[in-house]
Amino acid sequence: MLQTARQATLDPTETGAAEDLAARLVEMTVADVRQALDGGTVTAEALTRAFLARIGRYNPRYNALIVMNPRAVEDARAIDARRAAGEALGPLAGVPVVIKDTMDMAGLPSTGGWHFLSSAAGGVDLIPATDAPVTARMRAAGCVILGKTNVPVLSHTGSHANDSWAGPTLNPAAPDRIPGGSSAGTATAVAASLAVLGLAEETGGSIQNPASAQGLVGIKPSFGLVPNAGVMPLAGSTRDVVGPITRCVRDAALTLDALAGYSAADPKTVAGIGRRPAGGYAAGLAPDALAGKRLGLFGPGWRDLPLSPEAAALYERAQGELTAAGATLVADPFAGTGFSALAEPTPGLVYFDARGFESAPFDLQLYLERMGSDVALRSFTAFAEATRAEDAFAPGGVLHPINNLRQLAPCLADPASPPDLSDFLAAREAYLALFDRVMAAHGLDALVFPQMRAELPPLHGPGTLLETTVCEINIAGLPGVTLPAGAYASGAPFNLIFVGRMWSEGDLLAFAYAYEQATGHRRAPALDA
């Protein structure tokens, strides 16, 4: 499908103007797009064609996008027509974006990175009849969706996309290192300026990990704030969340404005009603937002695993920057509370607590039913039969370790019935109760940790991304905002993550924005075609 994208870039525009526009795409923000469109210096169609040309040039190497939207130029032209007619358009209108492969887009395949689910790789295509709510909301905001991005098989890893039917995705910031996963393709598309921003999804680090690995901004929202119906699940009933990956905090806030809110297609989003800040998530962004705030620091009370010496040094430098911005820092506020003992790492995984994944068969059943009556696989049973040669739940399968969860077996036996989630719910309640108690006891506004405990391992090999917050905030449902905070000596990015109480995205974004404005750590990578 990339050939179609290359063909779509053919345009009789004067060469010099086209070259100027191509240069402006690098690190382009929503504000840049809005200024260009409002000023009449470029059209949404021309901008879309320019991004498609950039994709045609760089995607063969970095492998971020795997399915292109054949209507992208037409969609952009429609935005231009609405603008010309005098319609008042929102900040994201005409902005070229990408979405994760697992997010349903009517008429385009959702492959889950697995060759069984892609006709291009010899399998069957799963073609949804309707958009996922998040896809529909991006369209309603006027975004131009360029295409869908690469993921590992069933989004099973937070480190890379090496086993995807489409091949590995590279990290533009460090091509010999892992890109982070499972939203590897979205992060790479954004880091390489193949789009202005992208949508990602997280069950176990799949927003925060790739954003951190590539020196980007990512929002892991509170569970239930953003609908995840129509998104191929791992734990849709318990942990899955959708959020943006961008190059700056303001763009992430504007995207969350478009995504957040109740959807009848996803009843759990009723929990987020009344939780959005007045004026939206971008309204509270201010350069002095850290002044007078109290922030808790990483330590063994949270997770009893050490930072590498270089990560510790980078974190210490970042603490100086936070203090200079007016924040008061509290060392290891979870010390002596028993918080770190709440984790139950799942055997067969690298310090990963998979509680909540016991809903996977049930959630896949609901997802396939939602796709429509004409979809190639309409039930979990049909899905399991089509993928039997590499059974995801059998020994050697990508999801086999979750068989250690005692409530998975009954769900596998009867995927159409709601699973027993009592173990997961007990864990969530314990995490939330202790988290809130510690935050109140120390008068904390948020936590601020290094998102990774050590720099990225090589792209190919047994190494995984060693994060600090994934299991805890995924099980608890808490929000986090990660953003650039420097780089290791190797050039691999170093990110911080702000973590807060449920529904505190507005505050976390404000803190992240203040730090971003004070430090300016984001750096555009140099690409090889």
Side-chain angles (χ1 to χ4, degrees):
M1 292 191 176
L2 263 183
Q3 184 59 40
T4 301
R6 293 193 187 102
Q7 292 168 348
T9 67
L10 299 176
D11 187 76
T13 312
E14 193 269 323
T15 303
E19 291 177 350
D20 175 67
L21 179 56
R24 292 163 62 189
L25 303 185
V26 178
E27 301 290 292
M28 179 175 272
T29 65
V30 170
D32 295 332
V33 173
R34 187 61 184 260
Q35 182 179 21
L37 295 178
D38 288 351
T41 59
V42 69
T43 63
E45 179 180 353
L47 188 61
T48 296
R49 290 184 182 275
F51 270 107
L52 290 173
R54 187 170 173 87
I55 290 168
R57 180 179 181 187
Y58 291 111
N59 198 62
R61 170 164 168 74
Y62 293 96
N63 199 31
L65 287 100
I66 59 173
V67 175
M68 302 304 296
N69 175 16
R71 297 174 56 92
V73 172
E74 182 179 342
D75 292 344
R77 196 177 293 137
I79 292 294
D80 289 331
R82 292 168 61 189
R83 188 179 300 276
E87 183 177 341
L89 299 173
L92 298 183
V95 174
V97 307
V98 295
I99 64 174
K100 189 174 181 178
D101 166 86
T102 52
M103 298 172 187
D104 284 355
M105 184 172 177
L108 294 184
S110 295
T111 76
W114 212 356
H115 66 91
F116 293 116
L117 308 180
S118 170
S119 64
V124 299
D125 281 335
L126 297 180
I127 307 291
T130 59
D131 288 340
V134 290
T135 306
R137 287 178 177 183
M138 295 302 277
R139 290 193 201 260
C143 297
V144 178
I145 300 175
L146 301 175
K148 304 181 74 179
T149 59
N150 202 17
V151 298
V153 172
L154 295 182
S155 300
H156 74 96
T157 174
S159 294
H160 54 71
N162 288 351
D163 59 358
S164 168
W165 66 265
T169 290
L170 300 187
N171 182 346
D176 62 336
R177 306 293 178 106
I178 60 174
S182 63
S183 305
T186 291
T188 292
V190 175
S193 295
L194 305 184
V196 175
L197 57 90
L199 294 194
E201 175 272 335
E202 172 159 328
T203 309
S206 295
I207 294 172
Q208 48 178 309
N209 284 1
S212 181
Q214 303 199 33
L216 297 165
V217 176
I219 303 175
K220 183 272 172 202
S222 301
F223 183 78
L225 180 66
V226 177
N228 63 6
V231 181
M232 191 177 294
L234 272 178
S237 299
T238 57
R239 296 172 54 142
D240 291 359
V241 293
V242 174
I245 289 180
T246 65
R247 292 185 292 271
C248 68
V249 174
R250 183 173 294 278
D251 287 2
L254 291 170
T255 309
L256 190 60
D257 281 336
L259 294 175
Y262 173 75
S263 170
D266 193 348
K268 64 180 172 291
T269 53
V270 71
I273 294 176
R275 302 294 189 172
R276 290 182 292 173
Y281 291 99
L285 304 184
D288 62 350
L290 282 168
K293 302 304 179 183
R294 291 175 59 82
L295 306 176
L297 299 178
F298 181 76
W302 174 272
R303 186 187 292 189
D304 195 10
L305 292 172
L307 305 180
S308 72
E310 192 173 2
L314 288 165
Y315 187 36
E316 184 175 3
R317 190 220 63 231
Q319 290 174 45
E321 295 168 332
L322 291 161
T323 301
T328 297
L329 306 182
V330 179
D332 196 10
F334 291 87
T337 66
F339 186 90
S340 64
L342 295 178
E344 295 182 6
T346 301
L349 300 173
V350 178
Y351 198 88
F352 186 81
D353 187 336
R355 283 176 291 181
F357 280 66
E358 54 265 48
S359 70
F362 174 72
D363 291 330
L364 276 165
Q365 173 75 24
L366 294 182
Y367 169 74
L368 293 167
E369 289 175 357
R370 186 187 185 279
M371 275 193 139
S373 59
D374 294 331
V375 72
L377 306 174
R378 297 177 58 186
S379 67
F380 178 79
T381 300
F383 170 90
E385 178 61 27
T387 60
R388 184 172 42 147
E390 297 174 19
D391 185 349
F393 299 90
V398 294
L399 300 181
H400 181 253
I402 70 174
N403 281 278
N404 288 289
L405 302 172
R406 69 182 182 91
Q407 292 155 341
L408 177 69
C411 192
L412 278 171
D414 184 13
S417 296
D420 177 0
L421 296 176
S422 55
D423 288 354
F424 166 76
L425 294 174
R428 171 165 284 180
E429 289 175 355
Y431 268 121
L432 285 173
L434 189 47
F435 182 89
D436 287 344
R437 188 157 67 244
V438 170
M439 296 290 282
H442 292 273
L444 297 177
D445 297 286
L447 310 176
V448 60
F449 295 170
Q451 197 277 333
M452 289 185 280
R453 295 190 292 107
E455 69 175 312
L456 299 169
L459 175 63
H460 297 292
T464 60
L465 191 151
L466 301 177
E467 42 68 37
T468 62
T469 55
V470 164
C471 302
E472 296 86 350
I473 71 173
N474 283 170
I475 292 174
L478 296 167
V481 175
T482 185
L483 81 162
Y488 291 88
S490 67
F494 173 80
N495 267 35
L496 294 177
I497 184 167
F498 289 91
V499 175
R501 296 176 176 86
M502 289 291 290
W503 321 114
S504 66
E505 285 84 353
D507 292 337
L508 301 182
L509 285 162
F511 303 155
Y513 179 81
Y515 180 81
E516 174 190 67
Q517 296 302 299
T519 60
H521 282 301
R522 166 70 190 165
R523 294 291 181 270
L527 304 185
D528 295 323

